[in-house]
């Protein structure tokens, strides 16, 4: 059974840092791209960042680029999100998610979708 | 404001059929990127409901179906049940943003 368990959330002051972890089990972690998605309580889902299977390629939403860093340790089956220069608007539940892909009708473009999600960890940025 | 637009809420009586729309633009759905749907029950993480516009993962009842046309997509739920009461999100990829995008979510109320 695929399991994703986030940890590391908590209360942090504006300008502070926090590192989230996502422990993966039940599948070959090193074969999959992974993402972070966040959700302000009571609001919608927002994509944050993604990393490819060997960690050599990453991308970020504009709102976090330059402040957040996604990484992974395939030997430890763990995904990370280092969050620096935190702002009140970063307050949210952070989910890690595994993606699976298929090729679209053209046969050339890989289409990724979130097939498994963790339970989330709450990050609160407040003084 | 979300890149993909969904109605904030829909409702229906048990047994009825409801649809949830997801409207995008020429840089996401209209560019040919597929749409996926997720169900989020109260207090839980999202769960994959439909992938690749129309495909159901194993375990998802055939009461749920998806479609896509032009710059929009839709999720249809037939034979509404109380357990379907949840938030539903559409998701695609946006080439202008070079990132994955979600709709704002639709709260389904079973009357």
């Amino acid at each position: 059974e695929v399991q994703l368990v986030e940890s590391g959330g908590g209360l942090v002051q504006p300008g502070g840092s926090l590192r989230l972890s996502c422990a993966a089990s039940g599948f070959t972690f090193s074969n999959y791209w992974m993402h972070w998605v966040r959700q302000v309580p009571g609001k919608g889902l927002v994509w944050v960042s993604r990393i490819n299977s060997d960690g050599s390629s990453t991308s970020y939403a504009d709102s976090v680029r330059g402040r957040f860093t996604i990484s992974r340790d395939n030997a430890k089956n763990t995904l990370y999100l280092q969050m620096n220069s935190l702002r009140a608007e970063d307050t949210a539940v952070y989910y890690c998610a595994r993606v699976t892909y298929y090729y679209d009708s053209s046969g050339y473009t890989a289409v990724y979708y979130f097939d498994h999600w963790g339970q989330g960890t709450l990050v609160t940025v407040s003084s | 404001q979300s890149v993909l637009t969904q109605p904030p809420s829909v409702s229906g009586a048990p047994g009825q059929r409801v649809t949830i729309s997801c409207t995008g633009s020429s840089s996401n759905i209209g560019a040919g990127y597929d749409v996926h749907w997720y169900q989020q029950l109260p207090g839980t993480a999202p769960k994959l409901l439909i992938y690749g516009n129309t495909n159901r993962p194993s375990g998802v009842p055939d009461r749920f179906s998806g479609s896509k046309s032009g710059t929009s997509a839709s999720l249809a739920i037939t034979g509404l049940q109380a357990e379907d009461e949840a938030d539903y999100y559409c998701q695609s990829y946006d080439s202008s943003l070079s990132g994955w995008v979600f709709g704002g979510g639709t709260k389904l109320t079973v009357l």
Side-chain angles (χ1 to χ4, degrees):
Chain A
E1 178 194 4
V2 172
Q3 284 204 317
L4 299 169
V5 180
E6 301 94 336
S7 61
L11 176 63
V12 60
Q13 293 189 337
S17 298
L18 211 56
R19 188 176 85 154
L20 306 183
S21 299
C22 170
S25 61
F27 65 102
T28 304
F29 181 68
S30 59
N31 287 349
Y32 289 85
W33 287 28
M34 297 293 295
H35 291 238
W36 288 98
V37 176
R38 68 185 182 185
Q39 183 175 36
V40 174
K43 302 296 185 182
L45 300 169
V46 177
W47 174 74
V48 173
S49 182
R50 69 90 181 153
I51 188 167
N52 70 345
S53 55
D54 66 5
S56 62
S57 173
T58 60
S59 63
Y60 300 89
D62 288 344
S63 58
V64 307
R65 188 176 294 115
R67 300 187 299 123
F68 290 12
T69 302
I70 189 172
S71 63
R72 65 192 296 160
D73 185 335
N74 285 344
K76 294 183 177 180
N77 292 338
T78 303
L79 173 73
Y80 302 102
L81 185 67
Q82 177 67 43
M83 304 185 295
N84 298 332
S85 303
L86 282 162
R87 307 166 180 166
E89 54 265 37
D90 294 319
T91 295
V93 174
Y94 284 74
Y95 295 101
C96 66
R98 189 185 86 167
V99 291
T100 291
Y101 73 93
Y102 59 91
Y103 286 95
D104 70 5
S105 55
S106 74
Y108 297 106
T109 301
V111 180
Y112 293 87
Y113 60 93
F114 304 98
D115 66 341
H116 289 278
W117 299 68
Q119 86 289 350
T121 186
L122 176 62
V123 172
T124 303
V125 184
S126 175
S127 55
Chain B
Q1 189 161 344
S2 301
V3 173
L4 305 179
T5 301
Q6 299 179 231
S9 64
V10 296
S11 63
Q16 285 190 332
R17 178 181 187 270
V18 296
T19 61
I20 299 172
S21 61
C22 174
T23 302
S25 66
S26 59
S27 62
N28 42 69
I29 300 175
Y33 293 105
D34 287 353
V35 177
H36 320 291
W37 292 89
Y38 304 87
Q39 177 193 59
Q40 188 175 32
L41 298 170
T44 69
K47 168 194 161 187
L48 177 66
L49 197 63
I50 298 285
Y51 68 95
N53 306 318
T54 60
N55 304 291
R56 286 185 309 278
S58 60
V60 174
D62 59 6
R63 301 187 296 104
F64 295 89
S65 63
S67 63
K68 175 191 160 186
S69 178
T71 58
S72 296
S74 289
L75 173 71
I77 310 172
T78 59
L80 266 182
Q81 299 180 4
E83 67 206 47
D84 298 333
E85 196 160 277
D87 293 323
Y88 293 84
Y89 294 90
C90 61
Q91 176 257 310
S92 187
Y93 183 83
D94 191 284
S95 57
S96 293
L97 298 173
S98 295
W100 286 259
V101 291
F102 289 92
T106 298
K107 182 176 181 59
L108 168 64
T109 300
V110 180
L111 301 171

